[in-house]
Amino acid sequence: MRRVTVRVALIGCGTVGTEVARLLLTNADELTARVGDEVRLVGIAERSTEAERDPVIPRELLTTDWQGLVARSDVVIELIGGVEPARTMILGAMAAGASVVTANKELLGKDGPTLYAAAEAAGVDLYYEAAVGGAIPLIRPVRESLAGDRITRVLGIVNGTTNYVLDQMATTGEDLALAVKQAQAHGYAEADPTADVEGFDAAAKAAILASLAFHTRVSTADVHREGITAVTAEDVAWAAETGHVLKLLAVAERLPGDAGVVARVHPALVPLAHPLAGVRGAFNAVFVEAEAAGPLMFYGQGAGGVPTASAVLGDVMTIARHRVQGGRGPAESRYADLPVLPMAQAVTRYQVRLRVADRPGVLAQVAGAFAAHDVSIETVRQAVAPDGSTGEAADLLVVTHRAKESALAATVGALEGLDAVSAVLSVLRVEGA
Amino acid sequence: MRRVTVRVALIGCGTVGTEVARLLLTNADELTARVGDEVRLVGIAERSTEAERDPVIPRELLTTDWQGLVARSDVVIELIGGVEPARTMILGAMAAGASVVTANKELLGKDGPTLYAAAEAAGVDLYYEAAVGGAIPLIRPVRESLAGDRITRVLGIVNGTTNYVLDQMATTGEDLALAVKQAQAHGYAEADPTADVEGFDAAAKAAILASLAFHTRVSTADVHREGITAVTAEDVAWAAETGHVLKLLAVAERLPGDAGVVARVHPALVPLAHPLAGVRGAFNAVFVEAEAAGPLMFYGQGAGGVPTASAVLGDVMTIARHRVQGGRGPAESRYADLPVLPMAQAVTRYQVRLRVADRPGVLAQVAGAFAAHDVSIETVRQAVAPDGSTGEAADLLVVTHRAKESALAATVGALEGLDAVSAVLSVLRVEGA
């Protein structure tokens, strides 16, 4: 039998990279037994070979010459993140005939098609299980297990930082700033939490999931993005009061009749009975709805060096098998080429909280504003604020049936113009009902 | 570019088979677009071509000559279930050069190695995503996504019928017989529910999962099996009283130090905070713990024609890609070859409910019986029965730390021999704590 050594190169030796190296080095015999041939870490490219590192990293594997390293590798793992120089390195590795494993959601979300085209041209594999949902097997199920089905919607808690923050707010009643500080203290948030709390990280993941799920190119720029920075302790308390929990969701959905695809990231009310409602702390979970399979959920740790390394290694093993047995992973599938629609075309349910004058006839005016824009009301209730205060005014909580985002926006505009409405206190989308 | 038609044969046209045929026929263009070449259903083998069938099934595809059909096919989908003639047909298809997709957990659990060996000898693929967890992507994540990790434990709700029955008992307080009747009325249980309620179905799935997770051959005969027939309404009420829910679990675990593997199916107490506790009705979910990935959960519909067909089609698509692009799926991985240990070697936690005489010194005697067998007690509480009755006796609820099954069994024997103990009312394992 032909003996093959699968030479693995690592570019980037930070938190995840160190754990990937540790697994490759300490489990080498076991990985080799599973593939049938040797899987060997042949080098680690970093900006400096002198920096202090975990003792598991053998100094002799370190190099600053990434080009020399990829030239003698079968699989290149890119873990430096960001668009450049990661893109140049990945394209260089592919051009040199190496398959690539990456966890780089930023690059994939922004410029995935360039990477796919390069992989296709070079006849190599491109795997990126770790780019979405950390350790959770998600990319493989969506692009392989569900390859015979039609996915209609993906609802994901794909950012552990914001899930921790919102969970903390719900559990303690803290406001956002304090919950973010807690997340930083526990290592769940960066010193600069912008990428997480503003939804940039989730938007890149939404683009990746939408592209795979709908066989259509969706880039991060196509994703409507709202972070959690406007979420108040009052919003969180009202969510609980109405049987929901507030989550930052990445939503990708195909509109009926294949009219198009919408991808969006925003805080949303999730009913307590929905499986996503129970996802606590920094965990991630992705809920997938497919025509035949029905509802599916994938749950696990969405970040952290060790869990993410598990996903990276799974991809390395698949590519190693291909090197030994032949074959290739799935290429980019974009045959459906559905229109990628703006947020105004999204259709969902809404909970609108209004402060109105407490006098007869107000409800009729409010209902009239919804009706005038074809937004159908499911329920209205007089909302006694959690602190009990209403004064001369009353708060109304209106939940709509499914309506188009543009119609809801016009309704809100009309409500703000009514004399009887002193303020639109909050507008939240309701998902997973 | 070379054009390939991937010829698909279906053996068995029952509930799942009909839905598989429907998807292959109605989504043919889409499936072809995804594979890059034509995927065509070329025939359906059944015992009779005359029986009444769903109108989606074209009569001209039906044949009673399965051998003739597999001879002109690239992929054979076996959906008749049971050991024979399914095994003969699968081996015949492989010998004829076809890859096989099956949902046959009974055959895989009993004689998987024969199928693997035949696939290896013929150089064809063997896929069986639908055999465990219905629509839930589970086999592919375990054998591919986690290929670079070490799985330590699998806890699965893999039988929707028993989950529905136990959920019904918990919700309504009904006893087992009535809940089974409800399940039958809703189509969740067969007229003869033996395979489900006695745990045979779950045991086959436990064997399949254990084999994959631990790279070791585990057959259904190796699985310790207890069904739910001994579960009483009182057990279910006590589970709730102590913050648990009672589930039929398929457990596969690797003992520390690679001492061996234990696979077991039995009712178990799951803490309410555990993700498996929220799995309601006929849904399935499998909780996987791996060294690097940590806890993962996969959730969805575990049965039903349409969901199961989704999993079958995913496998067909993977094999079709292999036919077009080359390559093969993972072969049987049994390099670890760990000892498969009997139930006596299992280690878990227990909740033991005792009826004892209500007099001083009894607790000391009971505690002594546990200590004598090295079973460490975590908590003891005086248990007031849900109906409030105790009479002259008292009920004790003892929860142990992790202990060996054999030690617990010896403890129970000793307890039954104590004068002060009038009855050991129940012994339940506690999992997922």
Side-chain angles (χ1 to χ4, degrees):
Chain A
M1 188 175 166
R2 184 178 62 125
R3 303 299 297 177
V4 179
T5 295
V6 180
R7 300 163 301 171
V8 180
L10 182 59
I11 301 182
C13 198
T15 311
V16 178
T18 299
E19 297 307 325
V20 167
R22 190 192 312 278
L23 289 174
L24 282 167
L25 293 165
T26 57
N27 295 350
D29 290 350
E30 193 151 12
L31 300 179
T32 293
R34 293 181 189 175
V35 169
D37 285 286
E38 190 186 358
V39 179
R40 188 194 299 163
L41 179 61
V42 295
I44 303 172
E46 258 291 1
R47 273 172 300 190
S48 156
T49 60
E50 302 305 316
E52 197 169 332
R53 307 204 178 272
D54 188 289
V56 80
I57 305 294
R59 287 215 161 263
E60 65 274 19
L61 289 186
L62 288 166
T63 175
T64 55
D65 174 20
W66 70 269
Q67 283 163 307
L69 176 59
V70 304
R72 55 189 168 86
S73 302
D74 302 300
V75 187
V76 172
I77 305 169
E78 180 276 307
L79 292 173
I80 59 171
V83 174
E84 283 296 349
R87 178 168 51 195
T88 299
M89 290 167 166
I90 290 174
L91 296 176
M94 289 173 168
S99 288
V100 169
V101 176
T102 177
N104 194 331
K105 63 236 167 194
E106 190 181 345
L107 174 56
L108 286 161
K110 183 170 177 157
D111 200 16
T114 298
L115 304 189
Y116 268 121
E120 195 63 27
V124 298
D125 278 335
L126 171 64
Y127 276 81
Y128 48 88
E129 185 63 80
V132 185
I136 310 170
L138 191 58
I139 303 297
R140 202 176 261 94
V142 167
R143 76 174 181 173
E144 301 183 41
S145 306
L146 292 167
D149 206 334
R150 302 187 85 210
I151 294 173
T152 50
R153 184 182 299 174
V154 179
L155 294 178
I157 296 171
V158 293
N159 182 273
T161 303
T162 47
N163 200 59
Y164 178 89
V165 167
L166 293 173
D167 191 24
Q168 183 76 9
M169 290 174 76
T171 309
T172 64
E174 286 169 13
D175 69 8
L176 183 84
L178 189 52
V180 169
K181 283 206 184 76
Q182 298 276 354
Q184 288 167 326
H186 287 86
Y188 293 132
E190 308 275 341
D192 175 1
T194 307
D196 296 317
V197 300
E198 296 287 3
F200 289 103
D201 175 80
K205 293 166 177 171
I208 294 169
L209 290 172
S211 301
L212 288 173
F214 306 124
H215 306 275
T216 290
R217 285 181 169 175
V218 180
S219 85
T220 308
D222 298 320
V223 180
H224 172 84
R225 179 186 53 75
E226 298 170 35
I228 62 168
T229 48
V231 172
T232 64
E234 203 181 3
D235 290 332
V236 172
W238 269 108
E241 172 72 19
T242 58
H244 295 89
V245 58
L246 202 55
K247 296 288 188 190
L248 183 70
L249 292 189
V251 182
E253 54 194 349
R254 201 180 64 195
L255 300 191
D258 286 346
V261 166
V262 179
R264 49 195 169 98
V265 169
H266 53 71
L269 295 167
V270 176
L272 284 175
H274 193 278
L276 286 175
V279 177
R280 307 290 307 271
F283 273 83
N284 279 198
V286 176
F287 191 81
V288 177
E289 294 172 34
E291 284 181 1
L296 300 167
M297 191 172 79
F298 305 87
Y299 166 95
Q301 294 186 82
V306 181
T308 306
S310 170
V312 169
L313 261 284
D315 285 348
V316 170
M317 295 293 279
T318 296
I319 294 172
R321 281 197 188 116
H322 291 165
R323 292 275 156 169
V324 174
Q325 301 182 356
R328 273 182 61 202
E332 182 188 19
S333 177
R334 57 185 167 92
Y335 71 88
D337 201 21
L338 298 172
V340 183
L341 302 174
M343 188 61 185
Q345 301 294 311
V347 176
T348 187
R349 295 169 65 235
Y350 301 86
Q351 190 188 81
V352 181
R353 193 154 50 84
L354 302 166
R355 180 144 299 169
V356 297
D358 196 2
R359 62 173 190 246
V362 168
L363 182 56
Q365 282 184 53
V366 166
F370 280 88
H373 297 91
D374 265 340
V375 178
S376 171
I377 291 176
E378 185 184 291
T379 59
V380 183
R381 59 183 264 197
Q382 175 116 7
V384 178
D387 65 1
S389 64
T390 54
E392 306 247 308
D395 284 2
L396 289 183
L397 203 67
V398 180
V399 177
T400 75
H401 286 292
R402 287 171 64 78
K404 199 179 269 194
E405 182 83 11
S406 54
L408 195 281
T411 306
V412 169
L415 289 168
E416 285 171 337
L418 290 179
D419 271 1
V421 175
S422 59
V424 177
L425 300 169
S426 85
V427 179
L428 287 167
R429 301 177 188 93
V430 183
E431 305 291 340
Chain B
M1 191 177 166
R2 185 177 61 125
R3 304 299 296 179
V4 178
T5 295
V6 181
R7 299 163 302 169
V8 180
L10 183 58
I11 300 182
C13 197
T15 311
V16 178
T18 300
E19 296 306 326
V20 168
R22 190 192 311 279
L23 288 174
L24 282 168
L25 293 165
T26 58
N27 294 350
D29 290 350
E30 193 150 11
L31 300 179
T32 294
R34 292 180 191 177
V35 170
D37 285 285
E38 190 186 358
V39 179
R40 187 195 299 163
L41 180 62
V42 296
I44 304 173
E46 257 291 359
R47 273 172 299 188
S48 157
T49 60
E50 302 305 317
E52 197 169 333
R53 305 203 180 273
D54 188 289
V56 80
I57 305 293
R59 286 212 162 262
E60 67 273 17
L61 289 186
L62 288 165
T63 175
T64 56
D65 174 21
W66 70 267
Q67 284 164 306
L69 176 60
V70 305
R72 54 188 170 87
S73 301
D74 303 300
V75 187
V76 172
I77 306 170
E78 181 274 307
L79 292 173
I80 60 171
V83 173
E84 283 296 347
R87 178 169 49 196
T88 300
M89 290 168 165
I90 289 174
L91 297 175
M94 289 173 168
S99 287
V100 169
V101 177
T102 178
N104 194 330
K105 63 236 166 193
E106 190 181 345
L107 175 55
L108 285 161
K110 183 171 176 158
D111 200 16
T114 298
L115 304 190
Y116 269 121
E120 195 63 26
V124 299
D125 279 335
L126 172 64
Y127 276 83
Y128 48 87
E129 184 64 78
V132 185
I136 310 170
L138 192 59
I139 304 296
R140 201 175 261 96
V142 167
R143 79 174 178 173
E144 301 183 40
S145 305
L146 291 167
D149 206 334
R150 303 188 84 210
I151 295 173
T152 50
R153 182 181 302 173
V154 179
L155 295 178
I157 296 171
V158 293
N159 182 272
T161 303
T162 48
N163 201 58
Y164 178 90
V165 167
L166 294 173
D167 191 23
Q168 183 74 8
M169 291 174 74
T171 310
T172 64
E174 287 169 13
D175 70 9
L176 183 83
L178 189 53
V180 170
K181 282 206 185 75
Q182 298 277 356
Q184 289 167 325
H186 287 85
Y188 293 132
E190 309 273 341
D192 175 0
T194 308
D196 295 317
V197 299
E198 296 288 3
F200 289 102
D201 173 80
K205 293 166 177 172
I208 294 169
L209 289 173
S211 301
L212 288 174
F214 306 125
H215 306 274
T216 289
R217 284 182 170 175
V218 180
S219 86
T220 308
D222 298 320
V223 180
H224 172 83
R225 179 186 52 76
E226 298 169 36
I228 62 167
T229 49
V231 172
T232 64
E234 202 181 0
D235 289 333
V236 172
W238 269 109
E241 172 72 21
T242 58
H244 295 89
V245 58
L246 202 55
K247 297 287 187 191
L248 182 71
L249 292 189
V251 182
E253 54 194 350
R254 200 179 65 195
L255 300 190
D258 286 347
V261 167
V262 178
R264 48 193 169 99
V265 168
H266 52 72
L269 296 167
V270 177
L272 283 175
H274 193 279
L276 286 174
V279 178
R280 307 290 306 273
F283 274 82
N284 279 198
V286 176
F287 192 81
V288 177
E289 293 173 32
E291 284 182 0
L296 299 168
M297 190 172 79
F298 305 87
Y299 166 96
Q301 295 185 83
V306 182
T308 307
S310 169
V312 169
L313 260 285
D315 285 349
V316 170
M317 295 292 281
T318 296
I319 295 172
R321 281 196 188 117
H322 292 163
R323 292 276 155 167
V324 174
Q325 301 182 355
R328 273 182 61 203
E332 182 187 17
S333 176
R334 59 187 167 90
Y335 71 88
D337 200 20
L338 298 173
V340 182
L341 302 175
M343 188 61 186
Q345 300 294 311
V347 176
T348 186
R349 296 169 64 236
Y350 302 86
Q351 189 187 82
V352 181
R353 194 153 49 86
L354 302 167
R355 181 145 300 169
V356 298
D358 195 3
R359 63 173 191 246
V362 169
L363 183 57
Q365 281 184 53
V366 167
F370 280 88
H373 296 91
D374 265 342
V375 178
S376 172
I377 292 176
E378 185 187 290
T379 60
V380 183
R381 59 183 263 198
Q382 176 117 7
V384 177
D387 66 0
S389 65
T390 54
E392 306 245 310
D395 285 1
L396 289 182
L397 202 68
V398 180
V399 177
T400 75
H401 286 291
R402 286 171 64 78
K404 200 180 270 195
E405 182 83 10
S406 54
L408 195 280
T411 306
V412 170
L415 289 169
E416 285 170 337
L418 291 179
D419 272 359
V421 173
S422 59
V424 177
L425 300 169
S426 86
V427 179
L428 287 166
R429 300 175 189 95
V430 184
E431 305 291 343

